[in-house]
Amino acid sequence: MLKDAAKFEPKIVAFCCNWCSYAGADGAGTARKNYPANVKIIKVPCSCRVNPMFILRAFQRGADGVILCGCHPGDCHYSTGNYYTRRRMALLMSMLNFMGVAEDRFRVEWVSAAEGAKFAEVMNDFVVQITALGENVKLRDLRCKK
Amino acid sequence: MQKIGVFVCWCGSNIAGTVDVAAVVEAVKKIPDVAYAVDYKYMCSEEGQKIIKDAVEEYGLDRIVVCSCSPRMHEATFRKCAESIGINPYMVEIANIREQCSWVLKDVKVATEKAIQLAKAAIAKVRFNNPLHPGQSQVVKRALVIGGGIAGIQTALDIADAGYKVDILEKEPTIGGKMAQIDKTFPTLDCSACILTPKMVDAACHENITIHTYSDLEAVSGYVGNFDVTIRKKARSVKADICSGCGICTEKCPARKTPSEFDEGLRNRGAIYIPFAQAIPKVPVIDREACLKFKTGKCGVCSIVCPNGAIDYTQEDELITEKYGAIVLATGFELIDLENYGNLGYGRSKNVITSMQLERLTNAAGPTEGHLVCPASGKEPKSVVIVSCVGSRDTSGRGKTYCSKVCCMYNAKHAMYIREKYPNVDVTVFYIDVRTPGKGFDEFQRRAVEEYGVHYVRGQVGKIMSDKEGNLTVFASDLNSGRHLMLNPDLVVLACAVKPAKDARKLASMLTASIDTNDFYVEAHPKLRPVESPTAGIFLSGMCQGPKDIPETVSQAGAAAAKVIGLLAKDKLMTNPCTAKCNEQICSGCLTCTNVCPYGAISGVEKEVVTLNGTREKRVVAVVNEALCQGCGACTVACPSASMDLQGFTNKQILAEVDALC
């Protein structure tokens, strides 16, 4: 059942690479740039560590939005990791589309270690976007529902 | 059964002010396997660590979750704490409830709820943690310093004095950098060259220092303690070992249309040139784009006049490879382009110059031998206007938003030495704010006003016009009196913003060093690790990290050197144990992983393996070289059979976090 849109608090998982985006999130904190509590961060060494399965699992478990943040292309700590991410996630996007999941529920963003303000902006924007989309019902496994 | 201890930190009021820490403790106590949970004011303090140690002993904890600040801050602290009581340091997980929670949320209820969820995710992950053991790697006892300005020279000298080999890589034909161009330095007004050139000579003569000028970084691979670097020594077209540095070639060269970079375009240089008299090495270089011999095939004057036969038109770039244990970035700065500041008339009137051009005009070794003249007329100016913050603190998008830090002081310096040498010249400085913190700095600026009679006007210059005769009109506002001003100076000096060197971003990519939106290198921690890049083994020195003056640059150079020495002094380094690991039982030997590994750390090895149904067979499986693997995890996703996993960030661990958060 779709909840009342006004009270709807989306669940959002953010995968952040250790070197850029996780540090960017720390930067947002240090600069006291607020973003909603809906966003919960999972640290990974590199965005290329994120298996598309993790994202599908999040949706299956009831996440309403998933965002993956890495270093800007060319700035990857491991040189090429985020290029792999970009290709893999482009495929995942079209697969989500194929499965009927609004591709707006998943986003890839490049946030550097110095971009604390950008991190907060991106998260604020993403929460607004997911809130507007409402609850994720398409991929949610009802057995996982708490 | 696992025994997990959860330790919730208040961080004074940083966390406890927004998160109800007691509620977090109560909530996690209900989670199965959490054997102990407690909150304390400062977990990182000695007392806080003692609480952890006592709890481990009393409750027999085998896994630890600390809910505190970012793991980038204190993960190492708590890992060490765990190790000291016999728990493997990799059995510790941090829930970041400060940066990700209390600092970005205002509502206590919401923040407490999020803190509990973050704690739950960390607890879910720590259940799947396994003890990990770092390996060891050798340290190459040699450092590379990129950039041969005062920052690079000082860093190299300090490292070399400690007994380690250092190479300086400089893209220009000589070391010395921007400081060599400066006339005098604030606040002592001592001659810049007089204090710099002895250091340049020291570096050149030092038995532990090798200088590669006119060279670029071609390629870098490896990791802390073991960098493999290829340096491109560009062809000078002059044999350095034969050349005596007499300079006859530079005088006789007929191609004299190229503006001298060293003199900021105020005079021309030959196609074969030595940037300045004290250049090191004092070996000329042929600018092949300007040289008639290279352009037309005719000329060859330099090779005729050279008494030693040192000119070599066929010389080619040389690639040299070397191993280094540490790399220091000291790439310095340049001034911004003024193309967005057409209103200030730079480029249209020769009498509108940059501060660096003024340095050359007042320098005894400069194009006018130190006589201050207007470049257009060649006559002494009667009045000079100095404009501060050209491109600094500019939020309009034309320039840089940051303060360039050095301009207020050098404006005072310029004003002072113009008034000192030419007491009849009127000097007016337009400023937004005068920012002169530093030892003896404010006194220095006040001297400019009080003793030297420099006019300081708070206000911005809107426009500078030049009529047909080249007479300048400056339109400005005086914010203190609210009046509009119109001045007719003979010379205008623009204090342009500084920006990092052009190739800073390219180097950052090659070295995987972090860089900010302004192209300054990012430090590992802004307060506690200011001379280290987040990438291990890469260090920062001087302006490339942020605007700073010479004394600050020299102290930072020394600090970077100390860090490098600390690294090179170690015989072995502990490697990161969070490496990829192959489950040989299910690995099919397809070796897809080898194609994505950026470090060539995976190879196919024929091995006898026990298959899932218990039989033994000999087949090719992927084997990870732990010394080479840096732990990015690219292979884990590429692996079609999920036999490749990343220790410390295993599929199980990450999925457990996903499950806990959703």
Side-chain angles (χ1 to χ4, degrees):
Chain A
M1 281 291 288
L2 212 71
K3 288 179 200 160
D4 182 2
K7 287 178 194 162
F8 172 57
E9 289 290 345
K11 277 184 197 167
I12 293 171
V13 176
F15 291 97
C16 291
C17 82
N18 178 47
W19 302 95
C20 289
S21 309
Y22 194 88
D26 278 356
T30 309
R32 313 299 199 271
K33 300 274 183 194
N34 295 357
Y35 59 91
N38 308 64
V39 179
K40 313 275 187 330
I41 296 171
I42 295 178
K43 185 172 87 166
V44 284
C46 176
S47 57
C48 75
R49 173 65 187 100
V50 176
N51 196 315
M53 286 299 293
F54 300 163
I55 293 156
L56 293 174
R57 168 76 154 222
F59 282 128
Q60 185 197 19
R61 294 281 304 185
D64 301 298
V66 178
I67 183 162
L68 168 54
C69 301
C71 308
H72 287 270
D75 293 349
C76 175
H77 180 76
Y78 305 99
S79 305
T80 51
N82 52 5
Y83 293 137
Y84 294 130
T85 306
R86 193 160 63 178
R87 291 186 167 195
R88 286 169 185 163
M89 296 310 149
L91 281 178
L92 179 68
M93 282 290 192
S94 54
M95 186 177 145
L96 287 173
N97 220 356
F98 176 75
M99 294 194 303
V101 178
E103 53 176 32
D104 289 350
R105 289 193 184 277
F106 173 54
R107 196 193 275 191
V108 178
E109 284 278 354
W110 313 125
V111 180
S112 85
E115 293 175 329
K118 180 181 174 184
F119 185 88
E121 263 168 50
V122 164
M123 292 307 156
N124 276 305
D125 183 66
F126 193 57
V127 171
V128 170
Q129 182 179 322
I130 298 301
T131 309
L133 281 172
E135 204 174 2
N136 152 38
V137 287
K138 192 73 189 180
L139 206 60
R140 169 170 286 180
D141 185 337
L142 289 177
R143 286 168 301 180
C144 295
K145 189 150 187 173
K146 284 178 203 164
Chain B
M1 202 182 95
Q2 297 184 342
K3 285 192 170 173
I4 304 169
V6 183
F7 300 88
V8 184
C9 181
W10 297 21
C11 194
S13 64
N14 280 301
I15 292 170
T18 325
V19 172
D20 181 350
V21 283
V24 177
V25 170
E26 286 315 307
V28 296
K29 270 186 179 164
K30 296 190 188 111
I31 300 171
D33 295 343
V34 173
Y36 183 68
V38 73
D39 57 279
Y40 183 67
K41 215 164 202 173
Y42 291 106
M43 263 322 163
C44 60
S45 68
E46 211 163 304
E47 194 53 38
Q49 294 189 42
K50 193 169 174 293
I51 291 175
I52 299 178
K53 289 175 193 173
D54 290 348
V56 168
E57 284 191 359
E58 198 178 335
Y59 298 92
L61 306 177
D62 58 1
R63 277 145 225 269
I64 293 170
V65 170
V66 187
C67 304
S68 61
C69 54
S70 170
R72 294 162 53 83
M73 191 78 200
H74 274 310
E75 187 172 56
T77 312
F78 294 119
R79 279 181 174 169
K80 231 179 245 167
C81 170
E83 199 172 18
S84 73
I85 31 164
I87 294 186
N88 184 283
Y90 293 88
M91 302 304 271
V92 176
E93 283 299 326
I94 309 284
N96 183 349
I97 61 166
R98 192 178 76 175
E99 278 83 348
Q100 288 177 18
C101 191
S102 67
W103 276 358
V104 291
L105 296 168
K106 290 198 177 106
D107 186 284
V108 174
K109 195 168 156 267
V110 173
T112 306
E113 223 167 86
K114 182 171 178 182
I116 292 170
Q117 278 198 295
L118 293 177
K120 281 182 177 170
I123 293 166
K125 183 180 181 189
V126 85
R127 289 176 195 278
F128 295 100
N129 279 25
N130 288 312
L132 299 175
H133 303 280
Q136 288 186 328
S137 68
Q138 303 281 332
V139 181
V140 178
K141 309 263 178 194
R142 191 182 192 101
L144 173 68
V145 176
I146 303 176
I150 180 62
I153 292 172
Q154 187 62 50
T155 308
L157 281 172
D158 288 349
I159 298 171
D161 281 344
Y164 297 103
K165 299 276 180 202
V166 196
D167 293 2
I168 297 177
L169 178 71
E170 169 58 54
K171 66 178 190 302
E172 300 297 335
T174 171
I175 57 168
K178 292 282 185 291
M179 190 175 164
Q181 290 178 269
I182 295 173
D183 183 20
K184 292 189 173 64
T185 57
F186 60 75
T188 44
L189 289 185
D190 45 356
C191 150
S192 184
C194 313
I195 53 177
L196 174 69
T197 48
K199 281 202 180 288
M200 292 167 60
V201 175
D202 283 354
C205 301
H206 206 294
E207 55 174 5
N208 285 337
I209 298 181
T210 309
I211 299 174
H212 301 293
T213 51
Y214 208 47
S215 301
D216 285 329
L217 193 68
E218 182 79 7
V220 185
S221 60
Y223 48 91
V224 54
N226 289 279
F227 292 105
D228 289 295
V229 175
T230 309
I231 294 168
R232 174 179 293 271
K233 281 193 92 136
K234 290 183 277 184
R236 279 186 114 91
S237 314
V238 176
K239 291 179 194 150
D241 47 342
I242 305 179
C243 172
S244 68
C246 68
I248 293 175
C249 54
T250 64
E251 286 161 26
K252 301 287 182 200
C253 175
R256 310 209 71 89
K257 284 187 184 149
T258 315
S260 157
E261 295 85 356
F262 187 77
D263 280 321
E264 295 287 321
L266 291 170
R267 70 171 152 195
N268 287 348
R269 59 159 170 83
I272 184 164
Y273 68 105
I274 298 174
F276 60 102
Q278 300 98 321
I280 286 180
K282 204 172 176 191
V283 176
V285 53
I286 295 183
D287 172 357
R288 293 189 173 184
E289 277 165 31
C291 174
L292 298 173
K293 179 79 180 174
F294 282 97
K295 283 204 305 196
T296 63
K298 291 170 201 151
C299 188
V301 169
C302 48
S303 99
I304 297 162
V305 297
C306 179
N308 298 329
I311 308 294
D312 178 5
Y313 299 119
T314 61
Q315 209 176 58
E316 282 175 14
D317 290 3
E318 188 192 343
L319 292 179
I320 44 179
T321 54
E322 188 66 70
K323 277 178 111 56
Y324 299 99
I327 299 177
V328 183
L329 286 163
T331 51
F333 73 102
E334 50 192 59
L335 298 182
I336 59 160
D337 298 325
L338 288 171
E339 54 197 18
N340 292 337
Y341 291 89
N343 57 321
L344 298 182
Y346 183 78
R348 268 182 285 129
S349 169
K350 275 189 167 178
N351 290 340
V352 178
I353 61 172
T354 65
S355 304
M356 202 49 128
Q357 286 178 315
L358 182 70
E359 295 284 353
R360 296 313 302 152
L361 279 181
T362 53
N363 192 309
T368 56
E369 290 171 342
H371 300 297
L372 178 65
V373 296
C374 301
S377 59
K379 283 189 207 145
E380 251 175 43
K382 290 197 180 61
S383 62
V384 178
V385 161
I386 297 177
V387 187
S388 305
C389 292
V390 177
S392 302
R393 303 177 68 198
D394 188 334
T395 49
S396 70
R398 294 192 296 174
K400 305 290 179 187
T401 50
Y402 52 82
C403 167
S404 294
K405 199 171 186 180
V406 284
C407 324
C408 285
M409 280 301 284
Y410 73 58
N411 285 338
K413 172 188 81 172
H414 288 159
M416 255 155 109
Y417 60 59
I418 294 173
R419 295 280 295 165
E420 169 102 29
K421 238 171 155 180
Y422 310 94
N424 297 327
V425 177
D426 200 56
V427 182
T428 309
V429 180
F430 284 95
Y431 68 97
I432 311 177
D433 292 300
V434 174
R435 296 181 163 180
T436 51
K439 194 174 170 183
F441 284 14
D442 203 55
E443 294 87 330
F444 180 83
Q445 191 271 334
R446 280 210 310 269
R447 252 170 68 207
V449 181
E450 290 160 10
E451 285 177 34
Y452 287 82
V454 178
H455 309 299
Y456 268 74
V457 180
R458 187 191 184 103
Q460 272 180 308
V461 171
K463 201 169 192 178
I464 297 171
M465 306 267 279
S466 164
D467 66 14
K468 274 180 200 151
E469 283 77 46
N471 300 317
L472 296 173
T473 311
V474 172
F475 299 89
S477 53
D478 179 345
L479 290 178
N480 285 343
S481 69
R483 284 179 309 158
H484 289 292
L485 299 179
M486 223 167 76
L487 278 75
N488 296 100
D490 302 310
L491 187 67
V492 173
V493 183
L494 306 179
C496 314
V498 297
K499 65 171 186 184
K502 232 178 253 103
D503 33 13
R505 188 159 281 275
K506 193 179 124 205
L507 284 172
S509 293
M510 290 172 82
L511 296 165
T512 67
S514 295
I515 196 162
D516 70 17
T517 42
N518 289 312
D519 284 5
F520 286 114
Y521 295 120
V522 174
E523 55 282 354
H525 189 282
K527 288 184 270 298
L528 303 177
R529 296 172 68 195
V531 297
E532 295 158 80
S533 162
T535 302
I538 311 283
F539 302 86
L540 312 174
S541 173
M543 273 266 209
C544 62
Q545 180 258 341
K548 49 181 72 67
D549 58 28
I550 296 169
E552 280 180 308
T553 295
V554 171
S555 25
Q556 204 199 16
K563 290 286 174 192
V564 170
I565 294 163
L567 169 61
L568 298 188
K570 288 181 184 154
D571 287 320
K572 292 214 163 95
L573 288 179
M574 301 289 241
T575 58
N576 170 21
C578 296
T579 53
K581 198 176 179 184
C582 177
N583 180 350
E584 291 169 358
Q585 238 180 0
I586 51 175
C587 173
S588 70
C590 71
L591 302 183
T592 308
C593 48
T594 58
N595 296 329
V596 295
C597 180
Y599 303 100
I602 313 172
S603 49
V605 175
E606 192 168 341
K607 264 189 164 180
E608 195 178 85
V609 290
V610 182
T611 61
L612 281 176
N613 49 26
T615 56
R616 285 175 182 278
E617 65 178 35
K618 210 169 181 189
R619 58 185 164 91
V620 173
V621 289
V623 173
V624 179
N625 179 340
E626 283 175 14
L628 293 178
C629 175
Q630 298 297 300
C632 66
C635 53
T636 61
V637 183
C639 178
S641 60
S643 54
M644 199 58 98
D645 211 347
L646 185 65
Q647 301 179 91
F649 294 92
T650 59
N651 291 333
K652 272 188 181 165
Q653 285 174 312
I654 297 175
L655 288 173
E657 283 182 275
V658 170
D659 289 359
L661 290 178
C662 295

